[in-house]
Amino acid sequence: MEPKDYQIKCLDRIKEYLQYLYDLKQISDRNIARDGADAAIDFPARAWGKLGTNYHVYSSRRDGMGRPLPCFCVKVPTGGGKTFLAVKTIDLINTTYLKKQTGLVLWVVPTTQIYTQTLKALRDREHPYRQQLDLASGGRTQILEKTERFSPEDVAENLCVLLLMLPSASRKNKDVLRMFRDSGNFSEFFPSEDRVENQIALLKQIANLDTFEKESGFWAKQIKTSLGNTLRLISPILILDEGHKAYSKTAQDTLCGFNPSIIVELSATPADGSNPLVDITGIELNREEMIKFDLHVINKASPDWKDTLLDAHNKLSLLDEKAKEFQANQGKYLRPICLIQVERTGKDQRSGKYIHSEDAREYLLQTIGAAPEEVAVKTSE
């Protein structure tokens, strides 16, 4: 799979930032070795500053240990090849920033559908995405799910990609979720329970490991041999698909708490507080013939959303008539659908300041005359 021109430009920009990151992290590490942890610099922010003035102000992150955490976003429209960019970015991170071929990649996705599609593509050795990973790892790639066991040798000798659903990582009660429970699957990563001094030393090195909270007695604190703790120990590359969906405080605290070496967000609509390093436009996709369907854009003079909704419903009715004609002639059923994106859907968010889903529903039913069974609302807090 040959990258498109806009993808080459995107990857060149990512490589430039990663080179700045590497150089400044070396300086920060030398400062720490000489003068202690307080001498660390916010090297991700400084690297961002070297890119020039055409970028947003950098929003700094810290990992679960309070250390500077590089985080950037690749803004790419739907259909722009974000998964291809992700696997190429993994290679760039390893070669330019981390200087290795092996290790762990934590790939977080928001939905079951995206999870299934990504897992299928990455496990298919004939798929271009998997082939890119195999090129990056020298043919030593392992694709894992959270229920599968892996060892320190696997991570040391292979490029391991662990797929995870966002709800599994976005937690309020960590003891409820499997990945934060003690598990014999990952005991090889941790000192044995009877090596008290080694356990204490590891806790001093990585203070945000989950433990059994019994501090008294002979054994003192015990580190949980969980998947969550294993991630904190390994400091994985974190690929965050649909990154704008992971900006709740709970999700951000959990993901940064995995102590990742770097976070790469992929999103068509980055959230406030993200760091867009690359902004790919629809025009660039169209130039490369990446848009495979017709787009009919109508620009209306009226600023009233109700006028837009009325026009949309009229268009839907017209398409419905054409679909019925098509069915009568061809015997094939088509169902036109109109998707309406509003600004608020939560039950406590109808303030009048923003367009709420109930505002749109009421206008459709009471003014336009749509049938109640034809209007479905997807709400989210």
Side-chain angles (χ1 to χ4, degrees), residues 315-351:
K315 184 68 173 181
L316 181 64
S317 299
L318 176 64
L319 292 173
D320 190 51
E321 290 298 322
K322 289 181 178 293
K324 290 176 181 176
E325 291 178 12
F326 181 78
Q327 184 178 17
N329 295 328
Q330 303 292 332
K332 296 180 181 179
Y333 172 69
L334 294 178
R335 183 189 177 194
I337 295 175
C338 179
L339 174 64
I340 303 161
Q341 181 176 348
V342 296
E343 296 173 310
R344 294 291 185 271
T345 59
K347 62 183 178 181
D348 298 323
Q349 298 179 4
R350 195 179 184 186
S351 64

Side-chain angles (χ1 to χ4, degrees), residues 77-91:
T78 302
K82 61 183 173 66
T83 307
F84 175 74
L85 289 171
V87 294
K88 294 293 285 185
T89 299
I90 290 169
D91 186 24

